[in-house]
Each structure stands twice: as C-alpha cells, then as structure tokens.
Amino acid sequence: MFAEIPQGGDAYVFSRVIHDWDDERATAALRNCRRVIEPGGTLVLVEEVIPPGDAPGYGKLTDLIMLVGSGGQERTEAEYRALYTAAGFELVEVIPTESRMSLIIGVLRAAPEA
C-alpha cells in the first residue's frame, strides 16, 4: 500500500490496517489509493473510532497499545476526517457496527473551484 495499489477499483477496503501507522504513513497509503481509485469510487476503512471526551473506553487502551507497539494509533472521527482530507477524500459517513469497529466511508473530494 505504500509502493503500489492495484488500479481501477471502484471501492477499496482497508480493514484494521490504517491504525497500525502514524498520520504520515497512513496518509501516504490513502494518497496511493486516491491515485488509482475510479471516479465515483468509495474508500472504506474498517477501524475502531474513539469517541470524543475523557470517558474510559477499550479503544483508548488499544490506542496506548498501538502507540507503544507499532507507533500507530486509534483515532477519533475528527482525526479520520483529517486523514481523508489530507489524502484527497471526503469522509461522508461513519457507520458503527455491533463490534468495536466502524465503517468509515469516504469518496473522492471534489476539486476546488477556480
């Protein structure tokens, strides 16, 4: 995902991958996806989304483990939104599941008007 992603898909799914990496590497992987995705394509991340606030939660423990272990991190919705924006996507929806994972849905961001 850092060197090459197969071209021409209309949907790309990264499941429990992006949390392994810091923001710089995660953005690089998503940018590589941006380069090959078809117009109108969809990006789906399957990741844990940390709720805002200071309440204890399993995801916050996982975040600490990721930081110490691989240098990655769990992220809030706002942090995923920032990753998507930096990579040329627009985060359009976060769909919680019955597990701790959510589906984080993104589409190609429209080019700014001249």
Side-chain angles (χ1 to χ4, degrees):
M1 72 180 177
F2 297 116
E4 185 176 353
I5 292 178
Q7 292 189 349
D10 59 0
Y12 286 84
V13 178
F14 291 75
S15 181
R16 298 295 289 157
V17 173
I18 296 301
H19 79 136
D20 289 339
W21 304 100
D22 63 20
D23 287 347
E24 181 180 340
R25 297 292 284 173
T27 301
L30 297 181
R31 281 185 182 142
N32 284 340
C33 182
R34 170 69 175 88
R35 285 193 256 293
V36 299
I37 196 168
E38 289 291 318
T42 302
L43 170 64
V44 180
L45 300 185
V46 181
E47 297 281 355
E48 189 164 2
V49 177
I50 303 296
D54 293 330
Y58 187 83
K60 292 177 182 177
L61 176 60
T62 307
D63 184 39
L64 181 60
I65 292 167
M66 293 305 302
L67 175 64
V68 172
S70 68
Q73 67 183 82
E74 304 298 344
R75 293 174 172 88
T76 64
E77 181 176 337
E79 290 168 326
Y80 279 111
R81 188 173 305 283
L83 282 182
Y84 273 47
T85 298
F89 289 93
E90 178 182 350
L91 193 156
V92 294
E93 187 174 13
V94 175
I95 304 170
T97 68
E98 290 185 22
S99 73
R100 292 189 332 264
M101 300 304 113
S102 293
L103 305 176
I104 306 161
I105 312 297
V107 296
L108 295 175
R109 195 173 67 224
E113 295 183 27

